């Protein structure tokens, strides 16, 4: 609301001697306001809302994370980065580094899994097989289900019970006599988070497939024809002609899935609920907030934000450069 | 870009109205209340036996305090977790409800230290509550010589439930009286091929650990763990953690995804012999129509009665202190406690209640409440603050997966240093 276009009429009559120059400047100022004023005015509600509710609250969270408010009654005294260093060095049973480790394993398995399945399906569908539309819909459909809903189903599928108490996948293995395949899934102390990535892979492989399929289709047919003329086989064609052109697609996929993975909360809450074995930073924030340790919860949130920024910001810079070049 | 005056006005109008709308939602919440007859009771009792109990209490309130009006401020979900968040923000903005529910004991100390609740010592005398409640409970409720809350009910946490048929089939003839006998009984069940001990996730494991600690340390040293006079790093605790580790070996391996009701189902289905759980299990088993259950105090706990209680307070700056006091008086009265507890399945905190008004389980619990040694519970907030409870539950969850007793003792000791100020 700072763009008030009428400061000059009140000052103009006081200085009649310099009227011509004043008039000229007034017109140009007015012209400029006319140029960007309406746009700014239309944008201003969203700008103000963003400034307050996104960037303002980020600033407030950072301030809270630097304060000593560790219970409902503590005052907001400045404590510096002590909360941050404590998270890495003095957290009881290294809970925070454990949650980061869990997140790392989850992200790795999730990204590799979705990329592998997504590219595989895209390659198969790219061969113009009959009924492509149906397959595409089938593969893409899990994405429409919410993590909470699929999490409840996978909670049952990945039931940790074995033997005659087995349920879900373990019951199938048990019934088929494949007892060596029965395992505790998400409750495995070392590989639990890899099992936790399975529902996420199931849900988002179709999305990766769709992105790569679009990437394949965006490559002009002439390039394939030229490669064929030069005597390139199928493998050489994909290895040297098609895949290099899919780098932007792969990068987008990694960014989109990567930042989703960093913030993972709903899937874990519905598959196991909060608990040590599957705890990730987002769940830890929630647990900490329940004990009214506001400074610690804010500090973990800030670290989470930085983690996501490390992935997103270079991508935004790269994207900006590419756009400016074209 | 062509720009007309009309469009400018429209855009400005839109911008302003959006901003105003944005501000309005934050300001609207404070304009409630105003009716001084209303007593807003803030709880997380929104359904089941808890809701029935609250309704019973409200019925009594209507007869005792006819000139005041009850207003239900219940926030559902998360076993009170959601309600506590709402309450914290209301207290921060100086908009407290007339009264709110809190676990009696250590969980209340945060509010007391912050000066958010009023001293009720004088009213305790007027209402005769200091004679009606047992001394052990009064000691736990008292902070620096003052009492700040009125407990509505008492639950017992350290109860071992069993499936009579399963236990008898395994050849266990007498109830185990100490940990050695318990291990022998569990071995018999194991030999029969059933899960000896049904267990759920972190907080239910914490309850089990607390019971083992009571057996190995005795009630007095156990109480000392939570006020700092007993060290978590001591050799007694090391021994107790060894016993706890042994007990975990008898439990179901999928415990970390189980709620207490899942563990209860194992017992009901005859797939498990024993389960440690609070005495709300009696009401639940009765509702589910399961009759073959038996209960004893956890072996080795003797007469230690590990209690937890829901209580009500008088917040500072509440809108209707007079009405709130009438509510608190009803909560503490013999009639109020009867109306609440016969429906919720808990027992009255008062020792002068008529046992005949209650079902079988509660009758035995009431007799033990009168004679037993009263000890608090960390899993249910009467022994430790919310921060310590969270840290301890997480350490227990870790132990469930890696069985590292030394690391658990270190974590418990660190939590004690961080959250307990030595008396």
């Amino acid at each position: 609301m700072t763009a008030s276009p009428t400061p000059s009429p009140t000052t103009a009559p006081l200085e009649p001697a310099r009227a011509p120059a004043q008039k000229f400047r007034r017109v140009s100022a007015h012209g400029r306001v006319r140029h960007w004023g309406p746009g700014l005015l239309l944008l201003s509600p969203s700008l103000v809302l963003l400034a307050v509710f996104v960037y303002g609250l980020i600033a407030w969270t950072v301030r809270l994370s630097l304060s000593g408010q560790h219970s409902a009654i503590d005052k907001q005294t400045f404590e510096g980065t002590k909360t941050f260093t404590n998270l890495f060095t003095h957290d009881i049973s290294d809970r925070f580094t454990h949650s980061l480790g869990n997140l790392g394993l989850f992200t790795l398995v999730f990204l590799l899994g979705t990329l592998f399945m997504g590219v595989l399906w895209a390659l198969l569908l790219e061969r113009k097989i009959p009924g492509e539309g149906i397959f595409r819909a089938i593969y893409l459909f899990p994405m429409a289900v919410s993590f909470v809903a699929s999490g409840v189903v996978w909670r049952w599928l990945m039931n940790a019970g074995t033997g005659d108490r087995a349920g879900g996948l373990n019951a199938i293995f048990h019934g088929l006599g494949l007892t060596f395949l029965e395992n505790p899934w998400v409750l495995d102390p070392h590989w639990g988070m890899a099992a936790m990535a399975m529902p996420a892979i199931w849900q988002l492989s179709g999305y990766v497939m769709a992105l790569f399929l679009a990437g394949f289709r965006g490559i002009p047919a002439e390039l394939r024809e030229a490669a064929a003329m030069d005597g390139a086989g199928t493998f050489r064609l994909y290895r040297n002609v098609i895949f290099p052109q899919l780098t932007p697609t792969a990068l987008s996929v990694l960014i989109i899935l990567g930042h989703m993975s960093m913030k993972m909360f709903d899937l874990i809450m519905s598959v196991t609920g909060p608990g040590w074995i599957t705890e990730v930073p987002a769940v830890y924030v929630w647990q900490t907030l329940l004990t009214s340790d506001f400074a610690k919860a804010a500090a973990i949130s800030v670290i989470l934000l930085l983690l996501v920024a490390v992935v997103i910001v270079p991508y935004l810079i790269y994207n900006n450069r590419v756009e400016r070049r074209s | 870009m062509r720009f007309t005056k009309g469009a400018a006005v429209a855009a400005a109008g839109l911008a302003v109205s959006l901003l105003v709308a944005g501000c309005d939602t934050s300001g609207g919440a404070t304009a409630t209340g105003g009716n001084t007859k209303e007593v807003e009771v803030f709880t997380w009792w929104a359904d089941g036996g808890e809701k029935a109990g609250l309704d019973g209490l409200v019925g009594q309130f209507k007869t005792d305090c006819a000139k005041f009006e009850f207003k239900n401020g219940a926030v559902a979900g998360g076993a009170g977790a959601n309600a506590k968040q709402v309450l914290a923000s209301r207290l921060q903005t100086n908009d407290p409800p007339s009264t709110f529910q809190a676990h009696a004991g250590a969980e209340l100390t945060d509010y007391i230290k912050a000066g958010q609740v009023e001293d009720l010592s004088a009213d305790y005398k007027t209402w005769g509550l200091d004679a009606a409640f047992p001394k052990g409970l009064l000691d736990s409720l008292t902070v620096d010589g003052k009492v700040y809350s009125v407990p509505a009910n008492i639950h017992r946490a350290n109860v071992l439930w069993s499936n009579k048929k399963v236990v008898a089939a395994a050849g266990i003839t007498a109830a185990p009286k100490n940990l050695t006998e318990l291990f022998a009984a569990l071995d018999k069940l194991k030999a029969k091929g059933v899960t000896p001990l049904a267990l759920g996730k972190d907080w239910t494991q914490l309850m089990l650990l607390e019971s083992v600690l009571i057996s190995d340390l005795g009630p007095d040293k156990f109480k000392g763990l939570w006020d700092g006079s007993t060290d978590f790093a001591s050799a007694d605790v090391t021994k107790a953690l060894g016993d706890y580790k042994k007990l975990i070996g008898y439990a179901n391996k999928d415990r970390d995804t189980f709620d207490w009701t899942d563990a209860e189902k194992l017992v009901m289905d005859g797939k498990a012999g024993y389960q440690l759980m609070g005495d709300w299990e009696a009401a639940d088993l009765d509702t589910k129509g399961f009759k073959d259950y038996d209960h004893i105090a956890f072996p080795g706990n003797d007469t230690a009665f590990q209690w937890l209680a829901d209580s009500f307070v008088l917040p500072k700056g509440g809108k209707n202190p007079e009405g709130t006091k009438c509510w608190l008086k009803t909560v503490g009265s013999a009639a109020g406690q009867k109306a609440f507890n016969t429906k919720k399945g808990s027992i009255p905190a008062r020792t002068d209640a008529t046992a005949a008004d209650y079902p079988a389980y509660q009758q035995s619990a009431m007799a033990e409440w009168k004679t037993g040694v009263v000890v608090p519970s960390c899993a249910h907030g009467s022994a430790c603050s919310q921060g310590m409870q969270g840290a301890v539950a997480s350490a227990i969850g870790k132990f469930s997966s890696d069985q590292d007793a030394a690391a658990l003792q270190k974590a418990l000791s660190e939590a004690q240093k961080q959250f307990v100020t030595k008396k």
Side-chain angles (χ1 to χ4, degrees), chain B residues 196-360:
Chain B
L197 185 67
L199 195 58
K201 64 191 306 179
D202 42 23
W203 65 270
T204 67
Q205 295 166 19
L206 176 55
M207 286 177 73
L208 182 65
L209 172 64
E210 285 188 79
S211 299
V212 176
L213 283 168
I214 296 173
S215 288
D216 279 338
L217 270 65
D220 288 330
K221 281 183 113 177
F222 173 78
K223 272 191 251 177
L225 289 172
W226 313 108
D227 62 23
S229 54
T230 311
D231 193 349
F232 258 116
S234 68
D236 298 355
V237 177
T238 314
K239 183 191 176 293
L241 291 181
D243 286 337
Y244 174 65
K245 184 175 175 176
K246 202 171 161 193
L247 268 182
I248 290 279
Y250 292 102
N252 46 312
K253 294 217 160 42
D254 48 2
R255 54 185 171 266
D256 289 307
T257 50
F258 269 32
D259 205 344
W260 71 275
T261 43
D262 299 319
E264 180 196 36
K265 192 163 185 300
L266 287 183
V267 176
M268 285 168 61
D269 292 349
K271 288 178 179 167
Y274 290 106
Q275 182 199 4
L276 175 106
M277 191 32 65
D279 62 6
W280 46 92
E281 179 140 327
D284 202 57
L285 289 168
D286 289 343
T287 320
K288 289 173 179 163
F290 180 71
K291 295 209 170 51
D292 293 326
Y293 70 89
D294 205 354
H295 66 89
I296 50 167
F298 186 80
N301 280 193
D302 297 324
T303 57
F305 191 109
Q306 194 184 26
W307 65 276
L308 54 121
D310 294 298
S311 66
F312 285 95
V313 296
L314 176 60
K316 235 168 226 171
K319 279 180 208 83
N320 185 2
E322 204 194 332
T324 305
K325 281 200 175 175
C326 199
W327 169 262
L328 294 175
K329 192 182 171 187
T330 306
V331 167
S333 70
Q337 300 232 319
K338 184 183 155 193
F340 180 73
N341 289 301
T342 44
K343 295 216 174 81
K344 189 176 184 268
S346 43
I347 64 165
R350 299 176 71 101
T351 47
D352 60 357
T354 318
D357 295 338
Y358 291 83

Side-chain angles (χ1 to χ4, degrees), chain A residues 73 165 272 274 276 289-290, chain B residues 85 110 114 201 254 386 398:
Chain A
I73 55 167
R165 290 234 331 270
T272 58
W276 168 266
L289 213 52
L290 287 184
Chain B
Q85 290 301 308
D110 279 356
K201 64 191 306 179
D254 48 2
Q386 293 178 36
K398 174 173 181 285

Side-chain angles (χ1 to χ4, degrees), chain A residues 100-159:
Chain A
L100 280 182
N102 275 348
L103 185 64
L105 178 61
F106 177 84
T107 306
L108 192 71
V109 177
F110 171 55
L111 288 183
L112 290 178
T114 39
L115 271 179
F116 178 75
M117 299 304 291
V119 171
L120 185 70
W121 291 344
L123 273 176
L124 295 176
L125 289 187
E126 209 247 337
R127 313 294 297 177
K128 303 238 163 61
I129 52 160
E132 187 204 313
I134 296 170
F135 281 113
R136 218 166 43 201
I138 289 175
Y139 289 144
L140 202 53
F141 202 63
M143 209 185 125
V145 183
S146 79
F147 272 132
V148 175
S150 72
V152 172
V153 176
W154 280 91
R155 178 196 178 95
W156 176 79
L157 281 175
M158 298 195 288
N159 189 313

Side-chain angles (χ1 to χ4, degrees), chain A residues 54-123:
Chain A
V54 177
Y55 298 100
L57 288 182
I58 287 177
W60 188 80
T61 306
V62 172
R63 206 191 107 201
L64 188 59
S65 72
L66 297 172
S67 80
Q69 199 178 15
H70 292 293
S71 73
I73 55 167
D74 285 343
K75 295 283 169 282
Q76 278 202 19
T77 47
F78 185 78
E79 208 184 61
T81 53
K82 201 174 132 201
T83 313
F84 287 90
T85 48
N86 274 355
L87 273 177
F88 288 99
T89 55
H90 280 91
D91 211 25
I92 292 172
S93 44
D94 295 324
R95 192 172 169 185
F96 184 64
T97 38
H98 167 76
S99 76
L100 280 182
N102 275 348
L103 185 64
L105 178 61
F106 177 84
T107 306
L108 192 71
V109 177
F110 171 55
L111 288 183
L112 290 178
T114 39
L115 271 179
F116 178 75
M117 299 304 291
V119 171
L120 185 70
W121 291 344
L123 273 176

Side-chain angles (χ1 to χ4, degrees), chain B residues 98-113:
Chain B
S98 306
T99 181
F100 61 85
Q101 172 195 3
H103 285 136
E107 211 179 276
L108 257 178
T109 40
D110 279 356
Y111 301 115
I112 297 170
K113 278 192 216 154

Side-chain angles (χ1 to χ4, degrees), chain A residues 21 35 41 44 75 96 113-114 124 140 153 172 178 183 191 193 205 240 246 248-249 275-276:
Chain A
H35 184 68
L41 214 55
S44 63
K75 295 283 169 282
F96 184 64
T114 39
L124 295 176
L140 202 53
V153 176
I172 296 174
L178 303 167
N183 70 75
W191 299 104
M193 285 314 280
S205 293
N240 293 343
L246 291 175
T249 311
W276 168 266

Side-chain angles (χ1 to χ4, degrees), chain B residues 363-398:
Chain B
Q363 289 193 17
S364 69
M366 283 161 75
E368 284 153 14
W369 174 239
K370 268 184 208 167
T371 54
V373 184
V374 173
V375 292
S377 148
C378 179
H380 298 284
S382 50
C384 61
S385 66
Q386 293 178 36
M388 175 142 186
Q389 196 184 336
V392 171
S394 161
I396 297 263
K398 174 173 181 285

